[in-house]
Amino acid sequence: MSDLYYAAYNPDVLSCLANLSNDEVFTPPEVANAMLDMLPQELFADPDTKFLDPATKSGVFLREIAKRCLAAQLPGYEDALRIIDRKKMEGSPLSADDEAFQAQLQETIDHIFHEQLFGIAITELTSLLSRRSLY
């Protein structure tokens, strides 16, 4: 078991940032969202649309695209999650609709992350940072 622990490489984000080269510049989320606002918003609702970040570093573009896809493909999911979370905190049983929604939410998330979002990192370090940010 300890071999598995040491074999898994999971660096601290701050140490990753300290080791970046001069050509690795991160895009702030506000800038990424302003750029995504320029796209036709119906792209995010279409489950067949594929998105590629050809030089992902922090994963901010993919993360913001994932948020938009989820909101467009499963409208009202945030409110439904709040209700389910409240029920769980109160110890109330979940209804069949709540459980069906949770399954649909997971299916939608899986689809977005496996079929719609793609990124090519320019270094191994930025690939790790992007994955950590996105997932």
Side-chain angles (χ1 to χ4, degrees):
M1 182 77 156
S2 63
D3 290 342
L4 179 62
Y5 175 77
Y6 290 109
Y9 179 65
N10 197 7
D12 180 67
V13 173
L14 296 177
S15 64
C16 290
L17 292 174
N19 295 327
L20 295 175
S21 67
N22 292 337
D23 61 343
E24 293 171 326
V25 179
F26 295 107
T27 306
E30 298 81 21
V31 174
N33 277 307
M35 293 173 71
L36 294 173
D37 287 344
M38 290 188 242
L39 294 173
Q41 297 305 294
E42 55 271 8
L43 286 174
F44 303 105
D46 183 355
D48 294 325
T49 303
K50 300 198 184 310
F51 299 92
L52 170 67
D53 184 347
T56 189
K57 290 174 273 317
S58 68
V60 69
F61 278 101
L62 295 174
R63 185 188 68 209
E64 297 306 317
I65 290 168
K67 288 180 188 177
R68 289 170 184 244
C69 287
L70 187 56
Q73 293 175 30
L74 200 57
Y77 83 93
E78 291 172 317
D79 293 334
L81 272 180
R82 273 192 280 279
I83 291 167
I84 290 171
D85 287 344
R86 188 179 69 237
K87 285 182 180 180
K88 287 179 177 179
M89 287 176 56
E90 294 171 352
S92 302
L94 297 181
S95 69
D97 287 342
D98 294 336
E99 291 181 7
F101 171 77
Q102 286 184 312
Q104 182 183 14
L105 175 64
Q106 188 60 55
E107 183 179 314
T108 304
I109 290 170
D110 289 345
H111 174 78
I112 291 168
F113 279 80
H114 292 120
E115 304 295 331
Q116 292 191 264
L117 300 178
F118 302 91
I120 301 170
I122 59 175
T123 66
E124 182 181 4
L125 192 59
T126 55
S127 73
L128 294 168
L129 186 58
S130 184
R131 283 186 194 120
R132 178 174 276 187
S133 174
L134 188 58
Y135 295 119

